[in-house]
Amino acid sequence: MDSRTLPVPDGLDGVRVDAALAKMLGFSRTFAAEVADAGGVRMDGRALGKSDRLRAGGWLDVEWQERREAEIVPIAVPDLGIVYDDDDLVVVDKPFGVAAHPSVGWEGPTVLGALVAAGFRVATSGAAERQGIVHRLDVGTSGLMVVAKSERAYTALKRAFKEREVDKVYHAVVQGHPDPLAGTIDAPIGRHPSHSWKFAVTPDGKNSVTHYETLEAFRGASLLEIHLETGRTHQIRVHMAAHRHPCVGDPLYGGDPTVAARLGLSRQWLHAHRLSFDHPVTGERLTTTSPYPADLAHALDVLRGD
């Protein structure tokens, strides 16, 4: 068990506990919330929750149990598609149910573990459990991911994603019919105020921009093409839910479970359909596409038959 006792600086007066611990102790926001939820944060002897606000000059007592680092475990994923591969990078078609990289608490397959199991070499840049990872997809989202194999590719791709030079196109089926049929959702996204594992549109969130266009309308649902200008965690799911059109099959963000059951879905209808970027070494534009997997294609067939 580790512990620290320290004063609250003036600059953190009124700041949430989880955000403040992240700044003061270098914790991730998620881990800071876990420490607070476990009763590990006290100010002037009073226990604080993750969403409580700090007071400048107060004395914090923080106690926590170090978590073991996640490790890359080679686990074969037969359905992981290799869309493009060269000495510098590999573009994979990630199935539903596979995480991008290991994390504490996740014991299932990962893209990195699958690549290692298949004999691929990945870049050593990045945190040990995220080597070569330059962007991520949710476990429940299928489709295209690029992983760096060389250090020069890792550096160039990280910069390209940061500078918004990568064209990321998703297809999603959402409940209802967006009005207008095409548009832009520009709303900041941050941690949900009452659920540490969720995100939400919040006034103090990070700038987040989503462009969408309706491709096909069904009875009670729509197929959208979505271009991400930014890349926040759960961005499409949060923005569409805030627009009152949650992704079909996404109960975490308001999807109707009866609709998902009727369509045979066990996850959100969200697919990374196209990925386009300048090759980090040759400079040539590389565009890859991924067809819909069987569960999403089946759901579309049901909708078209209604």
Side-chain angles (χ1 to χ4, degrees), residues 202-273:
T202 59
D204 57 350
K206 294 182 179 179
N207 174 55
S208 307
V209 181
T210 301
H211 307 283
Y212 71 90
E213 177 184 357
T214 301
L215 298 179
E216 198 170 350
F218 315 105
R219 182 169 63 86
S222 302
L223 173 64
L224 307 182
E225 180 163 288
I226 296 174
H227 294 250
L228 288 184
E229 189 171 314
T230 53
R232 309 304 176 202
T233 302
H234 297 181
Q235 179 172 323
I236 294 173
R237 300 165 66 190
V238 170
H239 269 174
M240 296 317 301
H243 204 47
R244 299 188 300 280
H245 297 286
C247 290
V248 168
D250 189 7
L252 184 63
Y253 288 103
D256 185 342
T258 63
V259 175
R262 184 171 65 85
L263 300 179
L265 285 174
S266 59
R267 50 105 166 198
Q268 66 264 15
W269 206 116
L270 181 59
H271 185 66
H273 175 63

Side-chain angles (χ1 to χ4, degrees), residues 269-293:
W269 206 116
L270 181 59
H271 185 66
H273 175 63
R274 188 164 71 248
L275 188 64
S276 183
F277 55 90
D278 292 339
H279 192 284
V281 177
T282 67
E284 295 181 1
R285 194 68 174 174
L286 177 63
T287 298
T288 55
T289 58
S290 166
Y292 303 148

Side-chain angles (χ1 to χ4, degrees), residues 70-82:
E71 299 178 352
I72 299 176
V73 179
I75 299 177
V77 178
D79 294 338
L80 185 79
I82 304 300

Side-chain angles (χ1 to χ4, degrees), residues 21-43:
L21 291 185
K23 291 180 181 294
M24 288 191 290
L25 299 177
F27 293 165
S28 70
R29 185 85 174 255
T30 300
F31 183 60
E34 291 174 1
V35 171
D37 287 341
V41 182
R42 307 181 74 85
M43 184 173 67

